[in-house]
Amino acid sequence: MPAVTVENPLTLPRVTAPADAVARPVLAVTTAPSGFEGEGFPVRRAFAGINYRHLDPFIMMDQMGEVEYAPGEPKGTPWHPHRGFETVTYIIDGVFDHQDSQGGGGTITNGDTQWMTAGSGLLHIEAPPESLVMSGGLFHGLQLWVNLPAKDKMMAPRYQDIRGGNVQLLTSPDGGALLRVIAGELDGHQGPGITHTPITMIHATLAPGAEITLPWREDFNGLAYVLAGRGSVGTQRRPVHQGQTAVFGAGSSLTVRADEKQDSHTPDLEVVLLGGQPIREPMAHYGPFVMNTKEELMQAFEDFQKGRLGTVPAVHGMAEGGL
């Protein structure tokens, strides 16, 4: 799990919550069910079973892999539409190509993030490059869906390709944790991702026995998803392990701790920390569309079926289109 790292975290700015911060309690810990997405790559549904009032403005998040593909096995998704939200694809290991019906796209690899604001809508495809299909190899990443408020749902689509080397790197006072701020802000340090809905997204690596207590905006929700390893959350040290999500309650700081002993294949605790300002608007979500009303959802399907969200580039052929 390389993502982005440094030899000596103590060379980085250090962050911790102030002494008078109010610790956020842990409301729940859920375990992500496993399934398959697209053409058959394995995923864990990180937010399954969590009430939307604790997720808002986040809609869903899939952990893709971690999987070691044999030659010929790597898979992606077929062409599919999106409208009304943003997709955030964070590649930890491996390579993914992405392309849309408006000519956008690119390649993301270890530690890179592709931030796509679907807005009014487009067609999109994600797939491993041919070289990875031929060779096989390790693949591991996340895809997060972030809702857009009603006023922004029909904005023009936009891309941000955030290279791993551009993320804001921070550490804890003792250097036991590496914090990669992908988007939003932490203790005055700004990540590179530009978001319409105010959020913070951090990939934290904690060495065995390390603990972080981070300042957290009181108007944000708080979520911690364990990518790998074992540890605990909250001041009560509630146990968590790979594939589990912790939901935090109200407060101004959150705490995560790595167990002293980790699994042999996972040297550290790897956690994604998410916080966002709830939109608190009605949500109508079905498949690849996230709107405010059922009528808007029906309109999105009609627009897709009539080709108003774009067409698959001729080089790919329309046979690949679909939901």
Side-chain angles (χ1 to χ4, degrees):
M1 190 178 291
V4 178
T5 190
V6 294
E7 280 191 27
N8 182 9
L10 288 173
T11 61
L12 302 172
R14 306 178 199 187
V15 297
T16 190
D20 60 352
V22 177
R24 287 176 173 249
V26 177
L27 303 181
V29 172
T30 62
T31 301
S34 298
F36 293 91
E37 186 56 81
E39 295 171 340
F41 60 83
V43 298
R44 286 187 174 95
R45 308 287 191 192
F47 296 161
I50 300 175
N51 190 296
Y52 183 64
R53 74 176 184 274
H54 298 310
L55 298 177
D56 185 11
F58 307 111
I59 300 164
M60 57 154 275
M61 186 168 74
D62 284 347
Q63 181 180 7
M64 306 179 292
E66 182 174 2
V67 58
E68 183 78 42
Y69 283 121
E73 284 188 341
K75 298 175 176 66
T77 66
W79 283 94
H80 56 283
H82 287 305
R83 172 180 280 181
F85 64 102
E86 300 183 285
T87 67
V88 182
T89 306
Y90 174 49
I91 299 299
I92 300 167
D93 295 289
V95 187
F96 232 27
D97 288 338
H98 57 97
Q99 184 182 1
D100 71 31
S101 52
Q102 298 192 352
T107 298
I108 47 176
T109 185
N110 302 343
D112 294 343
T113 302
Q114 178 247 312
W115 202 293
M116 184 182 78
T117 304
S120 59
L122 42 65
L123 304 182
H124 187 238
I125 189 171
E126 299 157 308
E130 186 62 28
S131 59
L132 181 63
V133 175
M134 296 294 290
S135 67
L138 187 62
F139 180 78
H140 188 201
L142 282 178
Q143 186 166 95
L144 171 71
W145 288 14
V146 185
N147 202 3
L148 287 170
K151 65 182 179 63
D152 293 330
K153 282 196 179 293
M154 296 300 287
M155 68 177 292
R158 182 186 70 177
Y159 272 110
Q160 299 172 72
D161 276 329
I162 302 169
R163 296 304 165 191
N166 293 332
V167 301
Q168 175 69 62
L169 299 179
L170 306 169
T171 190
S172 52
D174 64 358
L178 175 61
L179 309 171
R180 307 168 187 86
V181 185
I182 297 168
E185 173 268 338
L186 180 64
D187 198 28
H189 301 276
Q190 191 73 36
I194 300 169
T195 69
H196 290 280
T197 303
I199 74 164
T200 294
M201 180 179 183
I202 298 166
H203 175 190
T205 299
L206 283 73
E211 181 175 287
I212 52 173
T213 297
L214 303 178
W216 211 251
R217 279 180 51 168
E218 292 188 66
D219 60 337
F220 276 21
N221 58 3
L223 301 160
Y225 177 73
V226 182
L227 288 166
R230 296 180 175 274
S232 60
V233 287
T235 55
Q236 305 87 0
R237 294 194 176 183
R238 187 158 175 180
V240 289
H241 58 73
Q242 182 182 31
Q244 290 191 314
T245 301
V247 179
F248 290 90
S252 56
S253 71
L254 55 79
T255 297
V256 179
R257 188 179 191 280
D259 284 355
E260 296 280 355
K261 186 175 182 181
Q262 297 293 328
D263 299 333
S264 59
H265 64 283
T266 304
D268 303 307
L269 174 66
E270 305 280 351
V271 182
V272 173
L273 303 173
L274 294 168
Q277 193 172 63
I279 296 173
R280 295 193 176 96
E281 293 177 350
M283 185 178 71
H285 171 206
Y286 188 83
F289 304 124
V290 183
M291 306 304 293
N292 292 102
T293 67
K294 183 179 178 181
E295 290 71 25
E296 291 171 344
L297 209 53
M298 293 172 65
Q299 184 65 54
F301 274 103
E302 180 182 329
D303 289 348
F304 166 59
Q305 290 164 352
K306 293 189 174 179
R308 296 173 189 145
L309 301 190
T311 56
V312 174
V315 66
H316 289 277
M318 287 303 295
E320 293 184 70
L323 290 170

